[in-house]
Amino acid sequence: MSSRQAPLIPPRVRAVLVRVPFLVAAVRFARRDLLARDRNLLITLIVVALVIGVLAAEVSNEWFSPSLLILVTLIGGLQLRLGSLVKLLVGVGAALGYIALQLGVGRIGLGLTVTIGFTTVLAVLMARTRGKLGVQGLRGDAMLLELRDRLRSQGELPPLPKDWGGKVVLKQAGGSSFGGDFLVSMRDGDSVEIALVDVSGKGVDAGTRALLLSGTFGGLLGSVGDFLPACNAYLHRQRGDEGFVTAVHVRLDLATGDYTITSAGHPPVVKFDAGTGNWQVATAKGVVLGVVPDLHCEPDSGTLRKGDALLLYTDGLIEQPGRDIDAGLDRLLGEAERLLPSGFRDGAKALVNAMASGHNDDCALVLIWRP
């Protein structure tokens, strides 16, 4: 007895299929695409739309309301590709046409027609946006959430020894998850490097560029000796007119407390001197990133002793419409006095809330101290 199994398709039928190219193409098409998620969902939604149209016209217009077609269109806009969505809209139009033919145009109503039309436009816009991104369903939103989480994790300070303290407060304009202010940091033994960057603009408009630059600057931090000149060279090569970028870079030795500050158009770092109880403005300065091919920075250095602190911030804390920046800096230093009674850790967020009240802008604050 032979172990060879009988063919699934009889020879005579196979011969007929081979002679008919259309049938062969149809079989291959079904094998390849019929089980695809997009096509299955398209067929399901078209069937649902047609069933709703038939039941609304033949059974009950109240139990099977034509307004259910709005839900079908919305699901198609959220899940289908643009080409498949157009086919679904044809099916929805056929269902509405059948209802109007059987019950009359008046039974559909002007309000329902306008609502379905608005939903159709919205569905097409959503499908086009997903098509440009090359994603299906709600994957685009999931990608944005993943990018936001990565940006937040990268903006955290590295673990510090018990005899050091640090606090980061980021507040984006309009309560957005994305903004133009971000932090990159790294620690290698007793050496800690921190860079606070401010991209022009605010909220989501500046957030896309901040996402790009955070990855680039994070890769440069700790990999090059001159961090800000390297960032400046990168931005200058882009030759884009997307607004300015300011940054401040701090290199800190955790063993000795020695630090070096370099700045590129950023608001000055302030230091709290526990010996005098005063806040001192650092003298580090430099040109905004990306403007000149060769960046020259004038650094500032010093030592953090017990009780001292360094405060890094963005211009969202000191800039207000109609007011001078120096006045905003004086107000910041005055509000910083409130950090002392409650401690640096608890007072950092209160300081940001106090300075950011009354205007809508991205704000960031980084505080490092020796208890």
Side-chain angles (χ1 to χ4, degrees):
M1 181 177 180
S2 176
S3 60
R4 181 180 300 177
Q5 296 180 355
L8 296 178
I9 302 178
R12 294 182 179 179
V13 177
R14 184 183 302 174
V16 173
L17 291 178
V18 171
R19 295 176 182 177
V20 185
F22 173 78
L23 293 179
V24 174
V27 171
R28 292 177 178 176
F29 178 82
R31 288 180 178 178
R32 184 177 67 252
D33 291 335
L34 188 57
L35 298 180
R37 179 175 177 273
D38 183 82
R39 185 161 299 278
N40 284 342
L41 181 60
L42 170 63
I43 295 175
T44 301
L45 292 178
I46 290 179
V47 172
V48 170
L50 295 178
V51 168
I52 291 175
V54 173
L55 294 178
E58 303 294 342
V59 179
S60 173
N61 192 25
E62 295 180 356
W63 284 93
F64 303 98
S65 174
S67 60
L68 294 174
L69 296 174
I70 299 176
L71 182 60
V72 174
T73 304
L74 187 59
I75 294 175
L78 290 173
Q79 298 292 335
L80 295 178
R81 300 174 182 175
L82 183 59
S84 299
L85 178 62
V86 172
K87 298 175 182 178
L88 173 62
L89 295 178
V90 173
V92 171
L96 287 174
Y98 184 77
I99 295 174
L101 182 63
Q102 297 295 325
L103 303 179
V105 179
R107 298 299 299 270
I108 297 179
L110 179 61
L112 178 59
T113 304
V114 172
T115 304
I116 292 180
F118 177 80
T119 306
T120 299
V121 174
L122 180 62
V124 171
L125 292 177
M126 290 189 295
R128 288 185 59 185
T129 302
R130 289 199 322 276
K132 292 180 180 180
L133 292 175
V135 297
Q136 287 299 312
L138 302 178
R139 179 58 183 168
D141 296 335
M143 292 172 60
L144 288 177
L145 292 176
E146 292 176 4
L147 288 173
R148 181 202 63 184
D149 295 339
R150 290 179 181 270
L151 183 61
R152 286 182 176 179
S153 62
Q154 187 171 325
E156 297 176 355
L157 286 175
L160 300 176
K162 62 180 180 180
D163 54 343
W164 285 89
K167 182 69 174 180
V168 178
V169 181
L170 297 175
K171 185 176 182 180
Q172 313 298 358
S176 172
S177 298
F178 301 93
D181 298 346
F182 65 91
L183 172 74
V184 290
S185 60
M186 61 83 61
R187 177 185 175 185
D188 184 11
D190 290 333
S191 177
V192 173
E193 293 190 47
I194 301 170
L196 184 61
V197 185
D198 184 3
V199 178
S200 61
K202 59 184 179 180
V204 179
D205 295 334
T208 53
R209 194 178 184 206
L211 285 171
L212 172 64
L213 294 182
S214 65
T216 303
F217 288 7
L220 292 174
L221 189 68
S223 302
V224 294
D226 297 327
F227 172 71
L228 290 185
C231 295
N232 178 78
Y234 168 78
L235 290 174
H236 193 264
R237 288 195 304 267
Q238 303 304 308
R239 297 181 180 179
D241 188 15
E242 298 181 0
F244 61 87
V245 178
T246 68
V248 60
H249 174 232
V250 175
R251 182 180 285 110
L252 176 64
D253 190 329
L254 298 176
T256 62
D258 296 338
Y259 65 85
T260 302
I261 303 172
T262 52
S263 177
H266 205 81
V269 177
V270 292
K271 172 190 174 183
F272 176 74
D273 190 340
T276 62
N278 297 324
W279 290 90
Q280 303 171 356
V281 180
T283 59
K285 59 182 178 180
V287 184
V288 174
L289 293 176
V291 177
V292 295
D294 297 322
L295 180 66
H296 175 69
C297 299
E298 297 182 11
D300 187 12
S301 59
T303 302
L304 286 181
R305 297 179 174 86
K306 297 294 184 180
D308 293 352
L310 282 180
L311 177 62
L312 291 70
Y313 55 93
T314 56
D315 58 7
L317 290 179
I318 60 176
E319 280 189 350
Q320 292 188 9
R323 298 188 62 179
D324 187 48
I325 294 181
D326 292 335
L329 180 58
D330 293 338
R331 180 169 175 259
L332 174 66
L333 297 180
E335 291 289 342
E337 296 293 338
R338 299 197 304 171
L339 292 172
L340 299 180
S342 58
F344 291 119
R345 185 178 302 276
D346 297 332
K349 188 173 183 179
L351 176 61
V352 172
N353 292 333
M355 295 300 299
S357 62
H359 67 284
N360 185 28
D361 199 358
D362 296 333
C363 301
L365 178 145
V366 180
L367 190 61
I368 299 179
W369 68 90
R370 300 187 73 175

